[in-house]
Amino acid sequence: MSQAELTSPRIAAEERNALRQSSMISIERVSKYFDTRRDKRHLALSEITLPVTRGEFVSILGPSGCGKSTLLYIVGGFVQPSSGQVLVNDRPVEGPGPDRGPVFQEFALFPWKTVLGNVTYGLDQRGVPKAEAVARARALLAMVSLSGYENFYPKELSGGMKQRVAIARTLAYKPNILLMDEPFGALDAQTRTRLQNDLLKIWDEDRKTVLFVTHSVEEAVFLSDRVVMMSRSPGRIQDIIDIDLPRPRDRASLLLDRRYQDYVVNIERMMDAQTGDHS
Ligand SMILES: Nc1ncnc2c1ncn2[C@@H]1O[C@H](COP(=O)(O)OP(=O)(O)OP(=O)(O)O)[C@@H](O)[C@H]1O
């Protein structure tokens, strides 16, 4: 079904229901206005409809300011849409919940807590017994290659290590959905590649549903089942590209894969058309 068909008011009720039933996340005709100093009613998102299947890895790409973060915040329940709705497991999102784990740059680590304290924090809040919380945190820190750093404080860690702690912290309380807003954006290329591999490894183990915002076409193609291309403000869905590449994915062999290269080149062209860069 095309994006135009999905957003059409003519879409039959049964079809909408069928769509919801197969979706873990159902974003339905979501629009968002903000009051800004320049514009009393700035339309940031316009009529976004996007069903996301359980276990799917979906990346969102688009020019700066097209509303990618806003969309993720709406799914997370941190921002209310002006119209439309988001359903998670058939229930309307009314606020944040433990089923959706945010990995947002703004949600920094607690500087006064150790690495272990940061990862167990959410578990303590949920009443998980201390020994179980510590065991779970240690296992996750091992998974993100941070064993031995349990007693370090955030200021003693590199940017990439902090980001791995943030991922472990979110995974600790076992959300079914991961909402990741440019989680690797501020990292050097080598650390970024490493964390992409770690994330895919973790994802391969229990196939969480992931919504992942990025500016990197290569990152989106490497990680995703589908790439959603958004258009310049107001943010609309311009295109959805199925990434038909085998899993598990290995970056070194993918780089030599003609299909991977074609996806990257084609999506980069779409991005250039959006940003007006035709160089
Ligand atoms: N709280 C807010 N109040 C007013 N305007 C906002 C608010 N949050 C976002 N906006 C505006 O909404 C639009 C979309 O912002 P958003 O951060 O979602 O874009 P983005 O695609 O994630 O951008 P980037 O790629 O640069 O991070 C922008 O024009 C932004 O200025």
Side-chain angles (χ1 to χ4, degrees), residues 247-259:
R247 292 191 189 269
R249 292 181 188 165
D250 166 65
R251 199 174 177 89
S253 37
L254 264 196
L255 286 175
L256 302 171
D257 188 321
R258 185 63 201 264
R259 288 169 304 167

Side-chain angles (χ1 to χ4, degrees), residues 66-101:
C66 73
K68 303 180 292 295
S69 301
T70 303
L71 184 60
L72 223 60
Y73 274 82
I74 289 174
V75 176
F78 300 99
V79 169
Q80 297 303 310
S82 306
S83 61
Q85 63 172 350
V86 176
L87 303 181
V88 169
N89 276 325
D90 295 332
R91 286 205 207 100
V93 167
E94 280 162 359
D99 52 347
R100 283 150 291 142

Side-chain angles (χ1 to χ4, degrees), residues 60-236:
I60 303 171
L61 276 173
S64 181
C66 73
K68 303 180 292 295
S69 301
T70 303
L71 184 60
L72 223 60
Y73 274 82
I74 289 174
V75 176
F78 300 99
V79 169
Q80 297 303 310
S82 306
S83 61
Q85 63 172 350
V86 176
L87 303 181
V88 169
N89 276 325
D90 295 332
R91 286 205 207 100
V93 167
E94 280 162 359
D99 52 347
R100 283 150 291 142
V103 183
F104 297 161
Q105 304 259 346
E106 292 75 28
F107 294 3
L109 301 176
F110 298 124
W112 62 88
K113 283 186 180 288
T114 62
V115 164
L116 192 68
N118 267 283
V119 180
T120 54
Y121 176 78
L123 301 175
D124 296 340
Q125 295 291 302
R126 287 171 176 80
V128 175
K130 182 124 189 98
E132 188 187 329
V134 168
R136 207 188 288 174
R138 284 187 186 281
L140 281 164
L141 287 168
M143 199 191 275
V144 295
S145 311
L146 281 176
S147 290
Y149 289 92
E150 289 83 354
N151 296 322
F152 281 56
Y153 285 89
K155 66 170 193 275
E156 299 173 291
L157 305 177
S158 70
M161 291 160 106
K162 279 188 226 170
Q163 205 50 346
R164 278 184 273 157
V165 177
I167 292 169
R169 176 179 63 177
T170 297
L171 289 172
Y173 59 87
K174 301 183 179 169
N176 290 321
I177 296 169
L178 284 179
L179 303 172
M180 308 185 89
D181 191 4
E182 289 194 65
F184 311 143
L187 306 176
D188 63 88
Q190 206 180 355
T191 312
R192 188 172 186 144
T193 304
R194 171 148 182 235
L195 285 194
Q196 289 167 354
N197 285 328
D198 285 350
L199 178 62
L200 269 199
K201 211 169 62 196
I202 292 165
W203 179 81
D204 267 329
E205 277 169 20
D206 63 355
R207 297 274 163 142
K208 290 188 186 303
T209 308
V210 185
L211 266 184
F212 188 98
V213 167
T214 178
H215 278 112
S216 161
V217 173
E218 290 192 358
E219 181 169 83
V221 174
F222 175 55
L223 295 173
S224 312
D225 296 311
R226 281 193 298 161
V227 173
V228 175
M229 172 68 67
M230 287 180 62
S231 65
R232 192 186 271 288
S233 169
R236 295 195 173 90

